[in-house]
Amino acid sequence: MTYSVDTQALVRRYLHTVNSGTAADVAALYAEDATVADPVGSGEVHIGRRAIEGFYSGLAAAEVNTELLTFRDGGHEAAFMFEITVGDKFRVQPIEVMTFDRDGLITSMKAYWTPADVIS
Amino acid sequence: MTYSVDTQALVRRYLHTVNSGTAADVAALYAEDATVADPVGSGEVHIGRRAIEGFYSGLAAAEVNTELLTFRDGGHEAAFMFEITVGDKFRVQPIEVMTFDRDGLITSMKAYWTPADVIS
């Protein structure tokens, strides 16, 4: 655990790619065996880059905008709050936690939000 | 994983106890084998209720105030941002992630903040 990564730059790259990239582009930011829980508590975890690409493909048809609101570094991890707007009817500010490997690939992502947090 | 806990009430109880309780009071909110990483990335993890009480005893001599800023539920987990003020010179807004057992005891706490986040 002696490696160093710029977690804030990696989080900004992730949000930018969610904004403007394809599902494959986003999946490529993840390690091959990464896991995604979004939202945490749903009982569903996407395991592996292929499943993760499938998860993000749900956003592909819509206009997506993201904005980083608060960032907290944790070494090889980071926690942050951001706003995501999908189309003109879905807006939410999740808290996410990401872990990163020495290559800067995301090894896990957990998104904390519920339908009650959606801003109408 | 079929149990249900009111994570927001548990987080509010935790912050209230940090405000007004002793280190032993705070430690009693944790499961016997719980873990605390605060801040994440420091390389130090406090394991077990006795070590956790030792960690919180560092706050015992000071005036401590906490305020919950943002809360996100995750079933048996929760992520939240709060402000903590210690004495008159230390103020920071960490993002924390907690997991809970079926009795509502905290099984893990991870606090994301760095010295660069301290508000002067």
Side-chain angles (χ1 to χ4, degrees):
Chain A
M1 299 290 281
T2 56
Y3 60 99
S4 173
V5 289
D6 182 344
T7 58
Q8 181 156 189
L10 294 171
V11 165
R12 289 187 181 279
R13 182 177 70 168
Y14 165 77
L15 293 177
H16 178 75
T17 307
V18 170
N19 268 2
S20 59
T22 65
D25 293 334
V26 179
L29 303 179
Y30 282 88
E32 187 58 57
D33 58 349
T35 57
V36 167
D38 184 354
V40 173
S42 66
E44 189 174 17
V45 177
H46 307 281
I47 303 172
R49 200 180 276 158
R50 180 190 297 258
I52 290 169
E53 181 175 337
F55 168 71
Y56 284 97
S57 68
L59 295 177
E63 174 90 5
V64 177
N65 280 290
T66 61
E67 182 187 358
L68 183 60
L69 301 175
T70 306
F71 176 84
R72 296 289 180 261
D73 181 46
H76 310 136
E77 309 183 23
F80 56 100
M81 186 160 67
F82 72 109
E83 179 166 288
I84 180 167
T85 307
V86 182
D88 56 1
K89 57 185 174 187
F90 181 88
R91 185 157 61 99
V92 68
Q93 296 178 340
I95 292 177
E96 286 196 2
V97 174
M98 285 183 167
T99 59
F100 301 93
D101 68 14
R102 62 179 62 246
D103 297 318
L105 294 174
I106 306 163
T107 49
S108 69
M109 184 273 262
K110 299 180 78 168
Y112 296 83
W113 64 279
T114 68
D117 300 313
V118 175
I119 302 163
S120 56
Chain B
M1 299 289 279
T2 56
Y3 59 97
S4 173
V5 287
D6 182 344
T7 57
Q8 182 158 187
L10 294 170
V11 165
R12 289 187 181 279
R13 182 177 69 169
Y14 166 76
L15 293 177
H16 177 74
T17 307
V18 170
N19 268 1
S20 60
T22 65
D25 293 334
V26 179
L29 303 179
Y30 282 88
E32 187 58 57
D33 59 349
T35 58
V36 167
D38 183 354
V40 173
S42 65
E44 188 173 17
V45 178
H46 308 281
I47 302 172
R49 198 180 277 158
R50 181 189 297 257
I52 291 169
E53 180 175 337
F55 169 70
Y56 284 97
S57 68
L59 296 176
E63 173 89 4
V64 177
N65 280 291
T66 61
E67 182 187 359
L68 183 60
L69 300 175
T70 307
F71 175 84
R72 296 289 180 260
D73 181 47
H76 310 137
E77 309 182 22
F80 56 101
M81 185 159 68
F82 72 108
E83 179 167 287
I84 181 166
T85 308
V86 181
D88 58 0
K89 56 186 175 187
F90 182 88
R91 186 158 61 101
V92 68
Q93 297 178 340
I95 292 177
E96 286 197 2
V97 174
M98 285 184 167
T99 59
F100 301 93
D101 68 13
R102 61 179 63 245
D103 298 317
L105 294 173
I106 306 163
T107 50
S108 69
M109 184 272 261
K110 298 179 78 169
Y112 296 82
W113 65 277
T114 70
D117 300 313
V118 174
I119 303 163
S120 55

